[in-house]
Amino acid sequence: EAQVTQNPRYLITVTGKKLTVTCSQNMNHEYMSWYRQDPGLGLRQIYYSMNVEVTDKGDVPEGYKVSRKEKRNFPLILESPSPNQTSLYFCASRKWENTEAFFGQGTRLTVV
Amino acid sequence: AQSVTQPDIHITVSEGASLELRCNYSYGATPYLFWYVQSPGQGLQLLLKYFSGDTLVQGIKGFEAEFKRSQSSFNLRKPSVHWSDAAEYFCAVGASGTYKYIFGTGTRLKVLA
């Protein structure tokens, strides 16, 4: 089954404790991205990657890091989480520019 | 700059009634347009998309949308809403050459039995 898998689905952590949210896709897609969803703001892009070892900032990259060492994986790293990063996070992948994006189930992160 | 506006934050309809969710975009060239649905606790699922050609596009679950270039709109419609349609709906535009999707802020649909 074609899918994007994120882990964990739920995470509560404390300020400053490094964490990683994993994302993996099995569709051999070139393009992957991370979004955060906040009430009233819709989805905002954090980072994206056009292929292995090619990443770039989206609209809200501050406080986040990503890496793309393998085509299928695109982890999101919060080196020092803060409460304003409490949000619902989605990973997405697609084959090419302007094709359908497939989304993971989301990770609800709470930073206390 | 590209933008997407969904003017209705919440919409409530009765089961069986017709539905129209509004989406307006701002984009200089021909946009690539999408509607996604997010059920509670779930990721986003594609309902339909417009790239070119026929301006009335059909999607899954009985939804359709019409691209109107003159009005910069891509409204989503369904003739008869089912209780299972209660969800949040997002309109998105693909910005050619930037690999970026721009999402609207979403419309939350409530369906009354």
Side-chain angles (χ1 to χ4, degrees):
Chain A
E1 179 189 356
Q3 60 184 6
V4 178
T5 304
Q6 292 178 232
N7 280 297
R9 292 288 309 278
Y10 302 91
L11 179 59
I12 301 175
T13 190
V14 297
T15 299
K17 185 177 181 181
K18 181 179 179 179
L19 66 91
T20 299
V21 183
T22 64
C23 174
S24 181
Q25 51 96 1
N26 63 1
M27 295 167 279
N28 199 37
H29 285 171
E30 276 69 25
Y31 183 74
M32 298 184 73
S33 56
W34 277 102
Y35 294 86
R36 60 177 290 173
Q37 182 183 8
D38 301 290
L41 297 176
L43 279 81
R44 295 178 292 168
Q45 191 178 56
I46 303 170
Y47 267 94
Y48 64 93
S49 170
M50 289 176 280
N51 216 322
V52 175
E53 303 292 2
V54 181
T55 64
D56 206 350
K57 297 177 180 179
D59 296 316
V60 288
E62 294 77 21
Y64 305 95
K65 285 176 55 178
V66 293
S67 69
R68 187 93 180 271
K69 293 183 169 53
E70 305 167 279
K71 196 172 187 179
R72 63 185 291 123
N73 296 324
F74 190 45
L76 179 69
I77 303 156
L78 284 72
E79 294 270 4
S80 183
S82 62
N84 64 11
Q85 293 178 297
T86 292
S87 187
L88 179 59
Y89 291 86
F90 287 102
C91 179
S93 75
R94 62 183 193 262
K95 185 64 176 173
W96 307 117
E97 175 186 342
N98 293 318
T99 54
E100 172 188 353
F102 292 81
F103 284 82
Q105 296 281 73
T107 296
R108 185 165 293 282
L109 172 66
T110 302
V111 184
V112 298
Chain B
Q2 297 93 355
S3 65
V4 177
T5 302
Q6 293 180 248
D8 304 305
I9 299 173
H10 297 279
I11 283 186
T12 300
V13 300
S14 298
E15 191 171 20
S18 64
L19 173 70
E20 182 169 31
L21 302 183
R22 295 183 290 166
C23 173
N24 293 96
Y25 65 89
S26 172
Y27 185 59
T30 299
Y32 300 84
L33 296 160
F34 307 85
W35 274 100
Y36 284 86
V37 60
Q38 183 182 25
S39 299
Q42 301 297 313
L44 279 74
Q45 180 185 22
L46 181 72
L47 282 176
L48 48 77
K49 60 191 177 188
Y50 172 78
F51 286 171
S52 65
D54 193 346
T55 56
L56 183 63
V57 294
Q58 303 296 321
I60 62 171
K61 305 185 181 187
F63 285 92
E64 67 177 27
E66 186 171 12
F67 169 58
K68 292 185 177 180
R69 184 189 302 275
S70 61
Q71 299 177 20
S72 297
S73 69
F74 189 57
N75 294 347
L76 182 71
R77 300 193 294 249
K78 187 170 185 179
S80 178
V81 170
H82 187 263
W83 63 266
S84 61
D85 293 324
E88 189 156 23
Y89 292 80
F90 291 94
C91 181
V93 60
S96 180
T98 69
Y99 289 90
K100 178 183 284 191
Y101 277 12
I102 299 167
F103 284 84
T105 51
T107 297
R108 186 170 296 277
L109 174 66
K110 182 177 179 179
V111 180
L112 301 176

